Structures are given as C-alpha cells and as structure tokens.
Amino acid sequence: MAAASSNKWRVGSTSRLLSQLVTALVGVAMFLDYVAVGVAASASWEHLSLRYGKWYRPPRTPREARAMGYRRVNEICKMDTYHGFLYVQRHNDKSRLLFDHNDRLAGIQTAIPGNMLGFNSLNESLQMPSKEIIPPILLSQEQYSSGIQMYTVTAYFQHPSLICSPYTQHAHAGKGLYIQMGYQVERQFEKIPLDADRLSDDWKTGTCLHSMGRHYFKHLSKDMKCESLYPVYLMYNADGQLGGFGWLFQGSPSESSRTPVRWLQLDPSLYRASFDVSMLPPCMFNPDFKIFTIRIYLRNEHTMICPRRDAKMDDQRDSKDHAHHGGRGHHLDRINNEEVTFRPLHPKPTNSSSGGGSNNRTPKYINSRTTTSLWMTP
Ligand SMILES: *[C@@H]1O[C@H](CO)[C@@H](O)[C@H](O)[C@H]1NC(C)=O
Ligand SMILES: *[C@@H]1O[C@H](CO)[C@@H](O)[C@H](O)[C@H]1NC(C)=O
C-alpha cells in the first residue's frame, strides 16, 4: 500500500511537472510566434517604391507617414470602399497608403480622376474608366476639390481578411499581393501568384526590361478591345519571382508639378520602348490614344534582371534601333528631360549575387521583340 501511494505521489508530481513543462513550451512558442511576426512585418516588401524615372519610397509606418506630411483619412478600419487606415499626401494620388490594425503597411491605393476620355475598339471616344475595367478600378466616395469624381485601384500586401482583424498580431502577414476586385474587400480580390509559373493563361507574357523584369499584361492581345485595357500589369524577375506591378490607364491626366513621382505618359509613338507591339490591338495605334502608368516595385530593382538570352537580343536590337532614332528623337528628349534626378534607391549588390544561378530557369516565354528600356531610361 505504501509503495502504491508513493507511486501515486510520483505519478502526480510527474504530471504536474509535465503540465509546467507544457505551459513553458506554450510560452516559448508564443514568444517565437511574436518574434516571427516582428520579422515578417519588417520583411514585408521592404523595397516598396514607386518609379517613373525618379524613385519614390513611401513611408513604412504611420509615424513615418505623418513625418512626411501624410494625413490619416479614416478612424474605422472597414470602410465601404477599402479596408485599412488610409494615409494621403497632398499632390500625391499615386501613393495613398493603407496600414492595418497593427500599424503594418497593408496596401497601396492609387486614385485617378473620372473625367478623362479614352477610346474603344472602334476608335470612338468614351469616358474613362470604362465599365469593362470596373473592377479593379472602383468608384470612390471621394471627389477632387474641383468636383471631379475620384476612382481608385487598390493593392493589398497581406490577405484582405487580415487587415482589419485585431487577431493578426499573432498571424504571419508575410508577403503577398492582392488586387481589390469589389467592395466586399475580404472576399473580392485577385491573389497574384508570387511565382510566375503559377500565373493563369489570362496573363500574357510581354517584354523583359532591364531592372524591371518580365512583364505580364492581362488579356492583352491583338483582339483585345481597347476599352478593356487592363489597369494592372505584373513584373517578375529571371527566377520567376514577383518583384513588382504597375498601374496602366487610358487617358492623359493633368498633374501637379509638386507631385513627388509623376506618371509616365505614353502615346503610340513610344510603345515600342515598353511593349511588344505585335501584341497590341489596332485601336491602340489610333494616333490620339494615350496611356499613363506607374511602376510599383516590391523587390530591389537589381534583382529584376532578364535572362541572358534576352540581354543578347537587346544588344542586337539596340544597335538596329539607332537607325530609327531620328523620328522619335524629340519624344526621347522630352522623356529624358523629365527624368532629372535618377538615383537608385539601393546600392548595387556585389557581383556574386547577380546573374549566376538565375539563368537556369527558362521563363514561360522568351520574347525576342523586346525593345529598348525607355521606361527606366536613367
Ligand atoms: C482605329 O485606328 C487604327 C489606327 O489609326 C486603325 O488601324 C484601326 O483600323 C481603326 N479601327 C477601326 C475599327 O476603325
Ligand atoms: C565585379 O567584378 C569586377 C571584376 O571582377 C570588378 O571589376 C567590379 O568592380 C565588381 N563590381 C562590384 C559591384 O563588385
């Protein structure tokens, strides 16, 4: 009996020890989770920057945003037209920033005016944005001071259902890209794959441009209707990793000279620098056709390289292109004049990391018609 009771005592103490151990382990796990969140938060697209010629690096925290003159728009996280706390800066429609409940950068929104004209596939002029591209363009609840209706397009960097959840402090936000596709923010979005291999066939392979990577345009083809020109394109590096995206719209917006980063405005005479022109529908060659765009980088631009095969073709074509420069000369000058202070945000990486292993992977499609990289001309 004595032996049995002492055994029982031992069993009791063992289980108490075990439960203490379990409590301690849970504590450690929660601590590790907390550390991981810290790492994930700081690792979430740390290279985020906007670029046309000049670089613009948006603030990464609400505090930085306020220091840069941004003001917070809303007190409620779940707004009717977007989720997150929106910070805006005067003269800056391109970089409206969304922060989540935990002050993490959760997305970026760009606003465009609703008073621009574009063209449809019959070369008829029509009001932009056309219904074919709503969504991802969405009617905003805001207006410009001139009374012009505002439209927005919004990208989130974490799953949209996490942004306004108070529980995400212990969730791994990580990196992601989600394009808002409706006002039901938590459900209506397009998740962009981080790996180019997982892109659906809707995404057509375009040019690869130096330090911008391989471009993918949704539904772009010779048969596309111009009113359907999709406002989002994607940029992947030679390893097939998502490295950035861009907005692309029909029209020609007027712009404050005080904007920190300008739109790249293009007309048909400049397409060859940015597009594989063999992919474009005839309506885009209407001489009055205008588009404007901005690139949003998620990765360091030095990682946005093209496979070497393309680089060789670029060289050949560059020399051929010199013959054509006469006609486009003044456009090039105009672009170059606008791009006054090119300055890479990030120092060039050391030799070892670039090139090397990145050429093993064949891209989905090699395009030999890539033209000079005017979109980034330093
Ligand atoms: C629209 O204009 C382009 C360029 O001028 C032309 O190639 C195309 O055939 C026109 N489309 C229609 C339907 O008229
Ligand atoms: C890369 O390597 C070359 C030759 O080895 C050297 O001249 C050059 O300075 C290096 N560049 C960088 C960025 O390290």
Side-chain angles (χ1 to χ4, degrees):
M1 285 306 267
S5 80
S6 97
N7 261 350
K8 219 183 266 167
W9 181 85
R10 259 189 240 132
V11 169
S13 98
T14 309
S15 69
R16 224 171 300 141
L17 262 175
L18 264 177
S19 89
Q20 277 168 7
L21 190 63
V22 166
T23 311
L25 281 175
V26 168
V28 168
M30 280 172 73
F31 173 73
L32 286 178
D33 198 34
Y34 175 77
V35 171
V37 166
V39 170
S42 63
S44 173
W45 302 130
E46 64 269 32
H47 290 289
L48 179 73
S49 39
L50 281 72
R51 182 187 194 191
Y52 159 46
K54 273 163 105 169
W55 286 98
Y56 176 75
R57 190 165 164 81
R60 305 208 42 94
T61 61
R63 193 186 167 143
E64 274 179 39
R66 283 189 293 271
M68 287 171 71
Y70 281 73
R71 91 187 148 76
R72 176 166 159 170
V73 170
N74 53 323
E75 297 300 322
I76 300 169
C77 188
K78 292 189 182 180
M79 298 293 283
D80 288 341
T81 56
Y82 57 85
H83 279 190
F85 298 105
L86 181 66
Y87 283 69
V88 300
Q89 189 186 35
R90 282 191 76 195
H91 311 296
N92 187 355
D93 279 353
K94 301 175 195 77
S95 165
R96 296 156 59 93
L97 300 171
L98 291 158
F99 292 94
D100 72 7
H101 253 305
N102 299 305
D103 286 351
R104 284 187 296 219
L105 186 57
I108 187 165
Q109 180 176 84
T110 292
I112 56 168
N115 66 338
M116 287 180 297
L117 290 178
F119 291 95
N120 65 14
S121 55
L122 302 173
N123 298 330
E124 295 163 341
S125 121
L126 79 165
Q127 184 91 16
M128 285 287 142
S130 57
K131 63 180 189 328
E132 285 79 2
I133 47 175
I134 298 176
I137 299 175
L138 294 172
L139 187 70
S140 165
Q141 289 175 316
E142 292 174 70
Q143 288 192 339
Y144 289 92
S145 51
S146 45
I148 294 165
Q149 178 64 48
M150 180 185 286
Y151 287 82
T152 55
V153 55
T154 309
Y156 297 100
F157 305 137
Q158 49 180 272
H159 193 286
S161 70
L162 296 179
I163 293 164
C164 295
S165 161
Y167 306 112
T168 58
Q169 206 174 347
H170 293 294
H172 297 249
K175 297 177 182 181
L177 182 63
Y178 303 83
I179 307 296
Q180 187 178 336
M181 295 298 284
Y183 296 129
Q184 307 290 319
V185 182
E186 299 183 0
R187 292 190 290 108
Q188 296 180 310
F189 55 81
E190 176 173 1
K191 181 177 187 198
I192 302 298
L194 297 180
D195 192 325
D197 288 345
R198 307 184 72 116
L199 282 170
S200 80
D201 292 340
D202 290 345
W203 291 95
K204 306 299 175 197
T205 312
T207 49
C208 192
L209 302 177
H210 182 62
S211 82
M212 286 174 270
R214 173 70 60 191
H215 286 56
Y216 294 86
F217 297 92
K218 199 171 193 179
H219 304 309
L220 184 64
S221 76
K222 270 192 156 352
D223 302 325
M224 185 199 73
K225 296 189 159 120
C226 276
E227 57 271 39
S228 305
L229 182 63
Y230 201 70
V232 187
Y233 58 88
L234 307 173
M235 297 148 61
Y236 288 81
N237 69 17
D239 292 331
Q241 296 169 308
L242 178 66
F245 63 102
W247 304 133
L248 173 68
F249 309 100
Q250 268 204 68
S252 176
S254 61
E255 192 162 44
S256 162
S257 59
R258 294 166 70 184
T259 183
V261 58
R262 300 178 66 169
W263 294 112
L264 169 58
Q265 303 202 25
L266 290 175
D267 62 36
S269 69
L270 296 169
Y271 289 163
R272 294 192 63 242
S274 318
F275 294 106
D276 170 0
V277 289
S278 70
M279 294 171 78
L280 304 181
C283 47
M284 277 185 74
F285 292 93
N286 175 343
D288 295 325
F289 206 87
K290 300 264 192 314
I291 54 180
F292 60 103
T293 176
I294 189 78
R295 282 197 173 72
I296 300 171
Y297 279 72
L298 303 172
R299 284 179 188 275
N300 183 321
E301 77 276 13
H302 297 307
T303 68
M304 298 303 289
I305 52 178
C306 298
R308 194 169 291 154
R309 269 201 279 172
D310 273 17
K312 270 196 210 120
M313 289 167 175
D314 280 352
D315 288 347
Q316 286 168 5
R317 214 198 19 264
D318 276 356
S319 44
K320 267 190 254 158
D321 265 10
H322 281 295
H324 299 294
H325 270 179
R328 297 191 296 154
H330 91 272
H331 291 293
L332 288 169
D333 285 345
R334 182 167 66 81
I335 295 275
N336 286 335
N337 285 341
E338 283 174 0
E339 294 176 287
V340 276
T341 53
F342 171 75
R343 175 176 57 88
L345 269 184
H346 316 291
K348 274 194 194 289
T350 52
N351 276 343
S352 53
S353 60
S354 65
S358 17
N359 293 325
N360 314 341
R361 190 95 154 257
T362 36
K364 262 169 84 175
Y365 168 80
I366 299 268
N367 170 17
S368 62
R369 309 183 56 117
T370 315
T371 54
T372 46
S373 42
L374 185 68
W375 281 27
M376 55 73 66
T377 307

